[in-house]
Amino acid sequence: MGMVVCFGEVMMRLSTPEFQRLGQSTAFELNYGGAEYNVALALGQLGQAARYVSRLPENPMASACMRQMAGFGVDNRFVLRGGERMGIYFMEKGTSMRPSKVIYDRAHSSFAALKAGDIDWKRAFEGADWFHWTGISPALSDGLVEICREACKTAHEMGLTVSCDPNFRSNLWSRDKARRVLGELMEHVDVLIANEGSAIDVFDLDADPSLKQGGLMTPEGHRQLSHKLSERLGFKKVALTERESLSAEDNNWRASLYDARTDALSLSRMYKIHIVDRVGGGDAFAAGLIYGMEAGWADQKTVDFATAASALKHTVEGDFTLTSRDEILSIMQGDGSGRILR
């Protein structure tokens, strides 16, 4: 298994305690997080070599984040230092029928101020065979659009597998701009990792309503949507996650992995999850998927592992998961009783 390089912004996450509302709380809990950061830390815990590329300011909060990265085994030598500030996001956790709420405060962050040419991608990719990024980065500035283009082109030329999660955020950019920019950047992406809704919306696809049952796609619906994505944008593999929200705290969760070469689909089991924190669930899935593919596992084992990793993340407070390979394998093999281990 080679090195996986992840690129994106790390933010300070300030969460209200005990389901309090943002306008009510007088204190916040500090955590560090970000989509690609969550993937890198999850990979480090699985024993997969991971490297993080980003930019952080020279201040004590950023230095604490650097120590956290190193503590989880992530190579942080390509995290540039400089700029004005870390990005921040405020998190209000929902409950029952009240959804969770996020407010971003990341304008003029050190990462958002990056511009084309700031990162030596050939050096950053030395010894690597996989590059992962998400649509959040190009949403932050036009300069980051160009950097993502540089990164994908260089990774492709150096023979790395490139994966992307579109991760559309309506608070950051319009759907039209996301559709245009991400459509162009998909040229060098091999593996798409997306939820069903964003895949349809961001890439402007038609979904066949007859391929749904009770609000969920049928296996044939997964296969047809994945086939359309691969045919239009040239992906070798497409992984789709699917969430059925019963309330803010109770979801059903499953995923599929499609191989464009064989037109074959592997579908995971359905997990019924009582949620502690759903932020980072997709990132844990991405990490599990990358880990399985790097290990050379069959598609079915890979998607089963990734889905179990994501289900477990929903039980962990904070942005990134805190689970081991053995814990994930245990859940994947059917041990979801929650009994005390002693």
Side-chain angles (χ1 to χ4, degrees):
M1 296 171 73
M3 172 75 70
V4 177
V5 176
C6 299
F7 171 66
E9 180 170 32
V10 194
M11 293 175 290
M12 291 188 291
R13 165 178 155 164
L14 299 178
S15 308
T16 57
E18 300 297 328
F19 298 101
Q20 291 183 19
R21 306 218 66 179
L22 284 166
Q24 170 190 22
S25 181
T26 58
F28 292 100
E29 296 168 351
L30 171 64
N31 200 335
Y32 296 100
E36 308 85 355
Y37 182 76
N38 299 340
V39 173
L41 265 62
L43 288 170
Q45 291 172 70
L46 294 172
Q48 167 69 54
R51 176 178 297 152
Y52 201 65
V53 180
S54 189
R55 188 178 187 228
L56 288 171
E58 290 280 6
N59 65 38
M61 292 80 75
S63 295
C65 182
M66 292 287 283
R67 291 193 296 273
Q68 184 180 74
M69 261 185 265
F72 281 94
V74 175
D75 178 357
N76 61 17
R77 291 174 299 154
F78 290 89
V79 176
L80 306 179
R81 303 301 296 269
E84 295 182 15
R85 60 187 293 257
M86 283 188 77
I88 299 171
Y89 85 90
F90 297 90
M91 175 74 182
E92 174 187 291
K93 200 186 301 182
T95 183
S96 189
M97 75 288 295
R98 175 166 62 86
S100 296
K101 182 177 182 179
V102 167
I103 295 177
Y104 289 118
D105 177 18
R106 57 200 303 180
H108 310 296
S109 70
S110 295
F111 182 80
L114 281 169
K115 57 186 184 300
D118 281 349
I119 297 169
D120 185 340
W121 286 109
K122 287 188 176 179
R123 284 191 60 233
F125 290 145
E126 284 178 0
D129 59 10
W130 195 292
F131 173 53
H132 178 71
W133 61 286
T134 84
I136 293 174
S137 293
L140 297 176
S141 72
D142 290 341
L144 280 162
V145 172
E146 294 308 312
I147 290 174
C148 288
R149 185 175 283 114
E150 289 176 347
C152 289
K153 185 173 184 294
T154 304
H156 181 77
E157 290 171 351
M158 293 177 68
L160 278 70
T161 297
V162 179
S163 61
C164 177
D165 182 342
N167 255 344
F168 176 70
R169 299 289 186 266
S170 59
N171 288 344
L172 296 178
W173 58 352
S174 70
R175 197 172 301 278
D176 286 343
K177 185 172 182 180
R179 187 172 292 161
R180 175 176 56 79
V181 171
L182 292 178
E184 294 171 359
L185 291 175
M186 291 301 109
E187 179 183 358
H188 298 307
V189 172
D190 303 294
V191 180
L192 179 74
I193 305 168
N195 66 62
E196 168 227 355
S198 71
I200 292 170
D201 290 345
V202 171
F203 298 114
D204 197 19
L205 296 174
D206 295 323
D208 186 344
S210 69
L211 296 175
K212 281 209 166 189
Q213 281 183 343
L216 291 169
M217 285 194 298
T218 63
E220 179 59 17
H222 275 263
R223 193 195 67 78
Q224 285 197 22
L225 178 55
S226 298
H227 176 79
K228 285 180 181 179
L229 287 162
S230 297
E231 191 173 49
R232 177 180 294 188
L233 296 161
F235 305 123
K236 296 175 183 176
K237 302 258 190 182
V238 174
L240 293 178
T241 60
E242 191 175 22
R243 182 188 300 275
E244 183 181 25
S245 291
L246 308 177
S247 72
E249 296 163 297
D250 294 286
N251 286 184
N252 292 328
W253 176 259
R254 69 177 178 182
S256 64
L257 180 57
Y258 173 78
D259 187 324
R261 183 180 59 83
T262 61
D263 196 34
L265 182 90
S266 300
L267 186 68
S268 78
R269 60 178 270 205
M270 179 75 75
Y271 286 89
K272 298 183 184 299
I273 308 169
H274 184 70
I275 298 171
V276 170
D277 192 334
R278 67 171 278 180
V279 174
D283 306 326
F285 175 83
L289 192 86
I290 293 168
Y291 180 83
M293 292 180 70
E294 280 282 272
W297 291 349
D299 282 1
Q300 188 64 58
K301 182 176 180 181
T302 296
V303 74
D304 286 345
F305 183 83
T307 310
S310 178
L312 267 176
K313 164 59 193 80
H314 286 75
T315 71
V316 177
E317 185 73 51
D319 251 60
F320 56 86
T321 192
L322 292 166
T323 50
S324 70
R325 181 179 184 273
D326 287 346
E327 286 177 309
I328 296 167
L329 288 171
S330 178
I331 297 298
M332 168 183 156
Q333 292 159 7
D335 184 5
S337 65
R339 292 176 180 168
I340 297 175
L341 298 177
R342 54 187 173 190

